[in-house]
Amino acid sequence: MLSSHYLEGCLSNSTLYVPEVFADCICEQLIKKGRVFVLLLTTPYYFQLVRERERERDMGKGGSHGGEEREENMAAWLLGVNTLKIQPFKLPTLGPDDVRVRMKAVGICGSDVHYLKTLRLADFVVKEPMVIGHECAGIIEEVGSEVKKLVVGDRVALEPGISCWRCDLCKEGRYNLCPDMKFFATPPVHGSLANQVVHPADLCFKLPDNVSLEEGAMCEPLSVGVHACRRANIGPETNVLIMGAGPIGLVTMLSARAFGAPKIAIVDVDETRLSVARRLGTDEIVKVSTDIQDVAEEVIQINRAMGGRVDVTFDCAGFNKTMSTALNATRPGGKVCLIGMGHHEMTVPLTPAAAREVDVIGVFRYKNTWPLCLEFLRSGKIDVKPLITHRFGFSQEEVEEAFETSARGGNAIKVMFNL
């Protein structure tokens, strides 16, 4: 029999690791009282239970599967290829610098659809169930003890990436490249298509009174275009070509105009999307084929449509053909910004481009863009509302239908959930 002094020591610990020989008597005296959690060091259950406890404590993943709360929090879980289920989502404990946000608007990104269809995007692979979604805005329901600038009831747009702020890249201000980034719905981190999420307060940006929650959620894709325009130094003397009239191509076009680009042409294979680009204010549209043999002829069409030089090209698709077109269409000394990630590897004419000193610039996500995005929206310099073409509620049937709608493309640009 173990001494009462030893047992009192046990009672001061929430988790007790003991040899199996002592487990029976401790189980009888302590577990029934609900005072400790005993792990048998010599059994395989030890490892399973440790993993479960670590998962529940893991703030980096943003929550865990199941659990009881004051109100059952539900989320859209990616469980396998083409398999989404609304299931309970246990939130992590609210930290002193965190806020708990009730999601009100969540958009579907092309990356979300890619994960649904293939369980991977570039080097990111879904290996276990994951909550989907990262374009989001909501209303604050609880604030941590150290949060000073936000209060319950504030409407906020959420920047979805949590960087470490310790590595050299973070210290240089390029936190979007942080190797330890924890980004909504980038495996293994859970996303935001849920009733509620917990997030750092300094990554939640208060919406101006005249900016809706849906527009707040659109700050995420808009940030990609804003960051790209900053990387390329777009200004009033920069003529811009955009490859791809999907959601990212369109927000890049809107951003380039807001940055002062005097002439913008946009290229796509789809007539419907080109017509949308025209309505949103692009100067020229060029319909192209998917055949890489047509690049030379299409570059002539693009230059004719531009009526002059192409200073910067944004490839918002990321395919062999679009990048080849971009490199050939851009003037000597110009820039090509690669935004899209359609192909993991590409074969493109880099040597001729290098001979013309065409700079190739990578664009990955964004940094420090939310304040400018919100100012563009507040001032009316950018209007993202026409991009939202479809809206759905948050039921199992509607979640499935929304992702099917987004995956089909056609006249769907941005599909938005209203929670």
Side-chain angles (χ1 to χ4, degrees):
M1 185 70 176
L2 297 176
S3 69
S4 60
H5 178 74
Y6 181 82
L7 292 175
E8 276 301 311
C10 293
L11 291 172
S12 66
N13 294 285
S14 60
T15 302
L16 179 64
Y17 298 84
V18 298
E20 187 173 12
V21 67
F22 293 143
D24 289 342
C25 57
I26 290 180
C27 285
E28 179 178 354
Q29 297 176 65
L30 297 178
I31 294 180
K32 287 183 179 179
K33 297 180 181 181
R35 299 297 297 275
V36 297
F37 188 83
V38 177
L39 301 177
L40 307 185
L41 297 181
T42 58
T43 70
Y45 297 109
Y46 163 78
F47 300 103
Q48 176 184 347
L49 294 168
V50 166
R51 284 196 297 270
E52 291 175 357
R53 294 307 177 273
E54 288 175 343
R55 186 176 293 115
E56 292 173 1
R57 292 193 303 264
D58 187 0
M59 290 292 289
K61 290 180 62 175
S64 61
H65 214 146
E68 294 182 4
E69 298 181 336
R70 69 193 73 178
E71 171 189 340
E72 192 164 41
N73 186 44
M74 306 299 286
W77 288 82
L78 175 60
L79 302 179
V81 173
N82 292 323
T83 305
L84 284 169
K85 296 293 181 185
I86 294 182
Q87 295 180 344
F89 177 38
K90 181 177 173 61
L91 294 177
T93 302
L94 189 77
D97 298 307
D98 297 332
V99 292
R100 180 167 54 84
V101 185
R102 179 167 292 278
M103 292 290 94
K104 302 301 290 183
V106 181
I108 297 179
C109 175
S111 65
D112 296 321
V113 174
H114 216 75
Y115 283 128
L116 177 63
K117 297 297 181 183
T118 67
L119 297 183
R120 72 177 301 149
L121 179 64
D123 293 328
F124 301 107
V125 181
V126 179
K127 297 179 180 179
E128 58 185 27
M130 179 184 77
V131 176
I132 203 78
H134 63 269
E135 303 176 358
C136 55
I139 299 173
I140 291 179
E141 293 205 332
E142 186 179 3
V143 299
S145 59
E146 297 298 317
V147 176
K148 307 300 182 186
K149 295 183 179 180
L150 295 172
V151 298
V152 172
D154 280 347
R155 302 177 314 125
V156 293
L158 283 68
E159 182 173 349
I162 305 172
S163 57
C164 75
W165 290 113
R166 295 184 299 273
C167 69
D168 289 342
L169 288 165
C170 283
K171 291 176 181 178
E172 292 169 6
R174 305 186 73 177
Y175 67 86
N176 56 311
L177 304 178
C178 174
D180 294 322
M181 175 72 76
K182 295 177 173 62
F183 194 94
F184 278 159
T186 297
V189 182
H190 293 309
S192 60
L193 184 48
N195 297 133
Q196 301 175 65
V197 300
V198 169
H199 205 54
D202 63 358
L203 294 174
C204 297
F205 298 85
K206 190 173 179 179
L207 300 181
D209 291 340
N210 66 335
V211 174
S212 70
L213 286 157
E214 286 189 339
E215 291 173 281
M218 289 294 293
C219 281
E220 199 281 336
L222 180 59
S223 286
V224 176
V226 167
H227 180 57
C229 287
R230 283 176 170 170
R231 290 274 288 153
N233 294 317
I234 300 300
E237 297 181 344
T238 315
N239 292 323
V240 170
L241 172 65
I242 296 172
M243 308 299 299
I248 295 301
L250 294 174
V251 294
T252 301
M253 184 267 290
L254 294 173
S255 299
R257 185 69 82 201
F259 273 77
K263 188 155 190 179
I264 303 172
I266 195 161
V267 173
D268 202 282
V269 299
D270 188 277
E271 195 73 55
T272 300
R273 296 203 167 194
L274 287 172
S275 65
V276 172
R278 176 71 85 183
R279 291 198 300 272
L280 289 173
T282 191
D283 299 298
E284 302 293 339
I285 57 174
V286 179
K287 188 174 186 298
V288 294
S289 74
T290 58
D291 188 348
I292 200 166
Q293 301 300 320
D294 295 335
V295 166
E297 180 182 341
E298 289 169 357
V299 166
I300 294 172
Q301 294 178 36
I302 290 168
N303 288 330
R304 187 182 302 124
M306 288 294 291
R309 70 185 191 277
V310 174
D311 300 303
V312 173
T313 300
F314 295 103
D315 184 356
C316 299
F319 295 108
N320 286 330
K321 192 196 174 195
T322 55
M323 196 62 178
S324 296
T325 303
L327 290 168
N328 281 287
T330 304
R331 69 168 174 85
K335 301 172 185 175
V336 173
C337 291
L338 178 57
I339 303 175
M341 293 196 284
H343 282 160
H344 185 53
E345 295 181 352
M346 288 188 280
T347 301
V348 295
L350 277 180
T351 303
R356 295 185 295 117
E357 292 194 354
V358 175
D359 295 337
V360 177
I361 300 173
V363 176
F364 185 65
R365 293 175 178 159
Y366 34 69
K367 61 185 181 73
N368 301 315
T369 51
W370 259 251
L372 182 56
C373 288
L374 289 172
E375 176 55 25
F376 279 153
L377 297 175
R378 185 203 65 78
S379 65
K381 204 166 185 179
I382 289 180
D383 182 9
V384 293
K385 295 189 292 293
L387 298 178
I388 305 171
T389 55
H390 295 74
R391 293 173 173 85
F392 292 87
F394 188 53
S395 66
Q396 179 66 43
E397 181 180 354
E398 288 176 293
V399 166
E400 292 175 356
E401 185 180 355
F403 271 87
E404 289 171 3
T405 300
S406 184
R408 278 197 305 269
N411 65 345
I413 300 174
K414 182 56 63 178
V415 177
M416 185 74 65
F417 290 104
N418 294 135
L419 286 77

